[in-house]
Every structure is written in C-alpha cells, then in structure tokens.
C-alpha cells in the first residue's frame, strides 16, 4: 500500500477536492508543488515516446529519402512535432468540446478565477508541461546543431511561459483555446515541411499553412482582447487565497497589469506577423526568380533550335561551289527541240 500511494503520486494528478454542485459533489483539482513530481514522471514517458517515433517511423523514412545532414535534422524535428501537434489538437479539441468552452464563450471569463479544474483539463496541462520540458534534454540526445539550438530554446521557452502562465494564473480555459489554435497552425507548417522534403516541387501545403496561420493569429488576438480586456474587468476577482490555491489571480484586479499584458500580447503578435510577412515575401521573390530563370533558359533553348543552319551541298574550289562528284550543282537547262 505504501508503494501504491507513492506510485499514485507520480502517475495521477494531485490536490483533488470535492466541490458541491446542484447535482451533488464533483471532484476537481487545483495546483501545488506535488505537480512537479507528476510532471517529472511524464517527462520520462515523453522521452520514451520520442525515441519510439524516431526509431520506428522517422529513421525508416530517412533511409529511403537519403537527405543531407541539414535536411535530416529538420525532417526529424518536423516529424516529431507533427505527431505531437496532431495528438494535442485532437486531445485539446475533445477537452474544449466536452467542457463546453466553445459552445459557451462566456465561460472563458465567467466565475473567474477558475481555481478548480476538471481532471482532464489538469492532466492535459501536466502532459503539455512535461512534453516541452522533455524537449530540453532531447536537444542533446538528438545531437542538434549548435546553430539550431538558440532557435529551439526560444520556441521551448515561449511554450513553457504560455502554458505555465495560463496554469498558474487560472486562465486554463483561455489557454486551451489558444493552444488549439497555435497547434493547428504548427501542424500544417511542419506537415508542409515533411511533404517538401519528400518532393521539393510540392509547396501547396505551405499555401494552406499561410491561410491557417493568418486566421489563427486573428482569432488569438481577438480572444486576448475579448477575455482580458473586456471579460475579466466585469468579474469581481477574488483576493489572494493560498489555502484554495489562488496565488496570482488577484493581479487581474489591477487595470495596469491587465493593460500591460494586452500590450505585450499585441507586440508579440505584431512581431510574429512581421516575421511571417517577411518570410512570405522572401519565398515569393525566390519563386518568381526561379520562374523567370526557367523562362529565360527555355527562351534561349528555343532560339538555338530555330536558328537556321547554313549547309553546303558540295565543296568550294576557286570560289565556285562544286558538287561531290566534281560537277556544278546547277541544274542544266534542256534545249527545246
């Protein structure tokens, strides 16, 4: 029994409480330091799953494609993220639909702070934190190039900041919707990269990703403004209450804090859109340059084929063209009888 209790500490979410409802009692959860133990356990699970996907799927595909070292590294990265993003999108969509966050958008800020979480919501956040923390040692296991490490570290840090911030600030409902939008756009991007590595002439999925990316950015910014700018100010937020697990929600009582968060969000989204526009412009320039090069090459080949070639029917002798048998190539006129 002692071993079972210790195992439950690693496997199952902790800090469960019975919340009275109209239909009886409902078991829900809040966060605490014991969550770190659960996250540690699922970090090892994520490392094992990462190795399984790499060995039994990605390595087999890589042997057939014969990619260069740079493309090999990017293919592995996109392959792992496609598997993760697809799983997360399906799981997150199931959670937000079953909890009614999409059918009732007002639930994103009503009864804030959302200190008590359903089991599936808390378990989803713990697994998300475990996955992005496991990505840190994977940089060593996958032997990522030094030039790629800063970019991947920034990506991991941003995801951890977003997920941990939503978890600790009791904005889990908003965080779920935002993660769903972000993972959807990232799934199309990495799927487009995988298709591109198999066939460099196939870039149609990049166009699909561009449309999805712009739409998800607009929805993301709208949700931030709607929830933080208009929804939360109408709710009487509770004060600091460590016993209930409410440690940071009182910050949203301060209008200066809310405006600072919105300003940071807008600046971040603007920087993301700027990088996206710059990437698309560079991609279009390369595409049109390639198309114009092909047209010039095709035109030059056509000119060479259509240029008339001078051919002599015999050889020259004293400035007069002679036929091969030594006779004049001119046809003789027959005298009329």
């Amino acid at each position: 029994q002692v071993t079972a209790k210790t195992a439950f500490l690693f496997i199952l979410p902790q800090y469960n409480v019975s919340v009275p409802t109209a239909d009886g009692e409902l078991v829900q959860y809040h966060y605490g330091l014991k969550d770190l133990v659960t996250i540690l356990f699922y970090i090892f699970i994520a490392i094992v799953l990462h190795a399984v996907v790499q060995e039994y799927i990605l390595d087999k595909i890589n042997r057939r494609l014969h990619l260069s070292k740079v493309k090999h590294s990017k293919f592995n990265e996109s392959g792992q993220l496609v598997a993760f993003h697809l799983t997360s999108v399906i799981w997150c969509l199931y959670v937000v639909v079953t909890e009614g966050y999409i059918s009732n958008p007002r639930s994103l800020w009503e009864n804030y702070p959302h200190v008590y979480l359903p089991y599936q919501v808390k378990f989803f956040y713990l697994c998300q934190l475990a996955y992005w923390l496991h990505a840190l040692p994977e940089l060593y296991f996958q032997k990522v190039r030094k030039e790629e490490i800063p970019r991947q570290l920034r990506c991991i840090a941003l995801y951890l900041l977003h997920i941990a911030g939503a978890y600790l600030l009791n904005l889990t409902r908003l965080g779920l919707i935002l993660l769903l939008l972000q993972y959807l756009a990232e799934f199309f991007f990495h799927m487009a990269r995988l298709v591109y590595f198999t066939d460099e002439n196939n870039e149609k999925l990049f166009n699909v990703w561009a449309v999805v990316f712009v739409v998800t950015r607009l929805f993301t910014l709208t949700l931030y403004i709607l929830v933080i700018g208009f929804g939360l100010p109408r709710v009487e937020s509770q004060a600091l209450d460590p016993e209930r697990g409410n440690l940071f929600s009182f910050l949203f009582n301060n209008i200066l804090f809310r405006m600072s968060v919105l300003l940071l969000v807008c600046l971040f989204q603007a920087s993301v859109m700027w990088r996206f526009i710059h990437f698309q412009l560079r991609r279009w320039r390369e595409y049109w340059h390639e198309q114009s090069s092909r047209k010039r090459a095709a035109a030059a080949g056509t000119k060479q084929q259509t240029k008339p070639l001078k051919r002599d029917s015999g050889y020259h002798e004293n400035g007069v063209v002679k036929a091969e048998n030594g006779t004049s190539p001119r046809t003789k006129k027959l005298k009329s009888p």
Side-chain angles (χ1 to χ4, degrees):
Q1 294 181 353
V2 176
T3 307
K5 291 181 180 179
T6 305
F8 288 152
L9 181 63
F10 283 88
I11 299 172
L12 298 177
Q14 303 300 308
Y15 303 104
N16 58 312
V17 294
S18 297
V19 180
T21 61
D23 299 330
E25 290 187 350
L26 182 64
V27 178
Q28 292 191 331
Y29 298 80
H30 58 89
Y31 56 79
L33 291 177
K34 292 180 181 179
D35 290 340
L36 297 176
V37 180
T38 309
I39 291 173
L40 178 63
F41 173 77
Y42 285 101
I43 286 176
F44 293 117
I45 297 296
I47 291 175
V48 172
L49 294 176
H50 190 115
V52 169
V53 172
Q54 183 67 44
E55 182 174 356
Y56 291 98
I57 300 177
L58 298 179
D59 286 346
K60 291 183 178 180
I61 298 175
N62 274 318
R63 294 190 194 101
R64 296 181 180 180
L65 296 179
H66 304 289
L67 300 174
S68 63
K69 290 185 179 180
V70 176
K71 289 185 178 180
H72 180 83
S73 176
K74 291 182 179 180
F75 184 88
N76 289 336
E77 177 190 357
S78 293
Q80 293 287 348
L81 290 175
V82 161
F84 169 71
H85 288 318
L86 180 60
T87 305
S88 297
V89 165
I90 296 173
W91 188 4
C92 189
L93 183 62
Y94 173 79
V95 172
V96 298
V97 170
T98 54
E99 294 296 332
Y101 299 153
I102 292 182
S103 59
N104 182 21
R106 293 177 62 89
S107 63
L108 298 178
W109 63 82
E110 282 183 342
N111 301 322
Y112 179 83
H114 308 130
V115 178
Y116 298 117
L117 309 176
Y119 172 83
Q120 60 180 353
V121 174
K122 176 164 183 173
F123 188 60
F124 177 82
Y125 270 91
L126 294 180
C127 291
Q128 291 293 314
L129 290 171
Y131 179 85
W132 290 109
L133 285 172
H134 111 281
L136 294 173
E138 284 295 343
L139 295 177
Y140 172 76
F141 295 147
Q142 294 294 319
K143 298 179 180 179
V144 178
R145 296 184 304 133
K146 293 182 179 180
E147 297 82 4
E148 291 290 323
I149 289 178
R151 178 185 64 82
Q152 295 200 23
L153 285 177
R154 286 196 300 269
C155 179
I156 294 170
L158 287 173
Y159 273 112
L160 287 174
L161 180 63
H162 171 85
I163 298 170
Y167 188 63
L168 296 176
L169 293 174
N170 300 314
L171 290 170
T172 51
R173 300 180 182 182
L174 175 63
L176 282 172
I177 305 296
L178 296 177
L179 278 177
L180 177 61
L181 295 172
Q182 176 66 20
Y183 286 163
L184 186 63
E186 289 292 308
F187 169 75
F188 279 103
F189 173 73
H190 291 288
M191 195 66 197
R193 279 217 304 186
L194 290 181
V195 174
Y196 176 76
F197 289 143
T198 57
D199 181 10
E200 293 187 355
N201 295 322
N202 191 346
E203 297 186 0
K204 294 180 180 179
L205 269 181
F206 279 111
N207 298 327
V208 177
W209 164 72
V211 175
V212 174
F213 181 86
V214 173
V215 173
T216 53
R217 291 304 98 191
L218 292 176
F219 270 105
T220 298
L221 188 58
T222 303
L223 279 173
Y224 268 116
I225 295 175
L226 179 63
V227 176
I228 298 178
F230 296 97
L232 292 181
R234 299 180 181 180
V235 178
E236 295 181 0
S237 299
Q238 299 177 9
L240 177 65
D241 189 0
E243 294 182 358
R244 298 184 60 217
N246 185 9
L247 300 177
F248 303 103
S249 300
F250 71 96
L251 293 173
F252 285 96
N253 286 327
N254 190 338
I255 187 174
L256 181 61
F257 179 78
R258 288 199 304 270
M259 292 300 103
S260 300
V261 170
L262 280 178
L263 179 61
L264 289 176
V265 168
C266 292
L267 290 176
F268 177 74
Q269 295 299 325
S271 66
V272 170
M273 285 300 299
W274 169 251
R275 289 198 299 269
F276 171 77
I277 293 172
H278 181 71
F279 169 77
Q280 291 296 329
L281 290 176
R282 184 181 62 186
R283 178 167 164 258
W284 288 338
R285 275 199 306 267
E286 292 175 354
Y287 173 78
W288 289 115
H289 178 71
E290 182 180 356
Q291 291 297 320
S292 61
S293 299
R294 289 180 179 178
K295 289 180 180 179
R296 286 195 297 267
T302 305
K303 287 181 179 179
Q304 290 179 359
Q305 292 177 1
T306 58
K307 186 176 181 180
L309 297 177
K310 295 182 179 179
R311 295 181 179 177
D312 297 333
S313 57
Y315 60 93
H316 292 270
E317 184 178 337
N318 296 327
V320 179
V321 179
K322 299 291 184 179
E324 292 181 358
N325 56 3
T327 61
S328 175
R330 296 180 181 180
T331 56
K332 296 181 178 180
K333 292 183 180 180
L334 296 177
K335 296 182 179 178
S336 57

